[in-house]
Amino acid sequence: MPKTVTIKLDTGTLHLDIEPGRIPLNRLLGFAARVSSKRKFLLVSKVLGKHYPVSPKVMSWSYRALARMVLNSGADTGSLWIGMAETATGLGYGVFEAACREGAEQALFIQTTRYHLDGIERLEFEEAHSHATDFFLYYPERTDLRQQFLTAKTLVLIDDEISTGLTFLRLIKAYKEVNPGLQKVFIVSLVNFAHPDDRAALEDQAGVAVEWLCFRQGLLRFEDGQNAAIDSITVNVSGNGDCKKSLLAWPGRLGLDAQINLEKDVLKQLCSNGFSCDQATDSRPILVLGTGECNAPAYLLGRELENRGFKVKVQSTTRSPIHQGNAIGSVCQFEDNYDDAIPNFIYNLNPDDYRDIILCHETPLCAALNDRLHAWQAISAKFELQPGNTTYAKLHFFRP
């Protein structure tokens, strides 16, 4: 029998009817109020590494578990794996990487993005409940990856949580227009609260076989509390529409057919740029922060440090405005680093909890990044894919 959980938020009351499952819900989720007129609640993942700090070990576990679900359900060779921007870009890459390690053959990964890249063909669709509704899925530039993109028989769609499935339906329809040979879709998430009627509608309209995979599922209901103070807040989350090619270094938006590997001397390079390799003098963990859609490098570095014996947490900035309270203990606001002049946020961050903060970013250093580096006394880690190599990356470290 489903178990009902009721959560009081400053924007209303959230009711969850949870089906039985092996993982306790409080290990997967917290809850918060969104600053939004479209959806006034947020499911705050405790394993995603976005709004809440998470150990790389826990993140790796979630990636591996979801990847095995897909592979055990029969994903074909040459499958296409898509991570949803911005929240699940790191999750999407992590599940793809785990699938490759578990034996997936000729898998291709792409993440959706909110950024414009002039001159590259793309699919466009919307996420109606989001603050920034426009999404783009770009065709891979490499000829072989483009061919695989257009002919994949299996599509694996990855997001952190599902409430209706409508965004996925729009993406499936747009993708089928360019790949009518699609045969099956896996919809993969940490939690799934799509109503049975919404699931049935998606399966009927998708026109292909659909399988839903997640850790926990159930139904949700929200009673609007009509909080005028929060409802009246408006935050600009839409970019300026300029081409961002010169700012983007993470290759996930244009297709990856293999996992990204950091250079072997990454710890040596880090220690030569103001990071102490002495683990005995300070027992606090290290925080590795990703930025926006580029959060996978933070996981890669965090995992490497954890494998070397350091205590590590991983998290990422976001453009999603969330009200302080419930699972959101603190809010830090600053300007984005993609020249959009829009607010970005980091939640639940107390710099004193960490012996060091490493800020991973793909964009060049700018005033917004330098402001954060000085405020947190942090180390910059700029991601760069090695020239002529699609699988090896370098992190350029710098402490102001």
Side-chain angles (χ1 to χ4, degrees), residues 70-71 73-82 105-109 148-157 175 179 181-188 208-211 213:
V70 177
L71 297 180
S73 296
D76 289 338
T77 297
S79 52
L80 173 61
W81 303 61
I82 298 178
E105 297 182 0
Q106 298 177 32
L108 172 64
F109 171 74
Q148 184 173 339
F149 175 84
L150 294 172
T151 58
K153 290 183 170 57
T154 302
L155 182 61
V156 184
L157 301 177
Y175 179 68
N179 180 12
L182 181 68
Q183 295 180 1
K184 183 164 186 178
V185 175
F186 290 98
I187 296 180
V188 182
V208 295
V210 176
E211 186 168 347
L213 301 171

Side-chain angles (χ1 to χ4, degrees), residues 127-168:
E127 183 178 40
H129 71 264
S130 178
H131 296 87
T133 59
D134 291 336
F135 277 81
F136 311 119
L137 181 65
Y138 288 94
Y139 291 26
E141 289 189 298
R142 273 176 48 188
T143 303
D144 58 333
L145 299 188
R146 180 186 175 93
Q147 180 64 19
Q148 184 173 339
F149 175 84
L150 294 172
T151 58
K153 290 183 170 57
T154 302
L155 182 61
V156 184
L157 301 177
I158 305 163
D159 211 347
D160 59 317
E161 55 94 0
I162 300 169
S163 54
T164 66
L166 183 58
T167 303
F168 278 147

Side-chain angles (χ1 to χ4, degrees), residues 196-217:
D197 291 346
D198 292 326
R199 293 195 191 198
L202 183 148
E203 292 168 10
D204 179 63
Q205 297 179 50
V208 295
V210 176
E211 186 168 347
W212 308 75
L213 301 171
C214 64
F215 290 138
R216 295 297 300 268
Q217 61 185 353

Side-chain angles (χ1 to χ4, degrees), residues 27-151:
R27 292 188 182 181
L28 289 176
L29 287 179
F31 307 93
R34 286 164 56 106
V35 181
S36 171
S37 60
K38 298 176 182 178
R39 179 183 293 175
K40 298 185 178 182
F41 62 88
L42 181 73
L43 307 180
V44 182
S45 174
K46 295 181 179 179
V47 301
L48 184 66
K50 189 67 175 176
H51 307 107
Y52 196 84
V54 179
S55 72
K57 184 180 298 183
V58 169
M59 298 171 74
S60 296
W61 161 80
S62 69
Y63 300 159
R64 185 169 56 250
L66 291 175
R68 286 175 176 174
M69 288 183 191
V70 177
L71 297 180
N72 290 340
S73 296
D76 289 338
T77 297
S79 52
L80 173 61
W81 303 61
I82 298 178
M84 302 298 288
E86 73 172 355
T87 305
T89 52
L91 176 67
Y93 171 79
V95 174
F96 160 78
E97 182 192 81
C100 292
R101 292 186 172 195
E102 294 289 324
E105 297 182 0
Q106 298 177 32
L108 172 64
F109 171 74
I110 303 179
Q111 66 190 51
T112 66
T113 180
R114 292 189 173 100
Y115 293 120
H116 289 268
L117 302 175
D118 291 346
I120 304 177
E121 197 171 359
R122 69 191 186 194
L123 304 179
E124 299 184 18
F125 60 103
E126 289 187 344
E127 183 178 40
H129 71 264
S130 178
H131 296 87
T133 59
D134 291 336
F135 277 81
F136 311 119
L137 181 65
Y138 288 94
Y139 291 26
E141 289 189 298
R142 273 176 48 188
T143 303
D144 58 333
L145 299 188
R146 180 186 175 93
Q147 180 64 19
Q148 184 173 339
F149 175 84
L150 294 172
T151 58

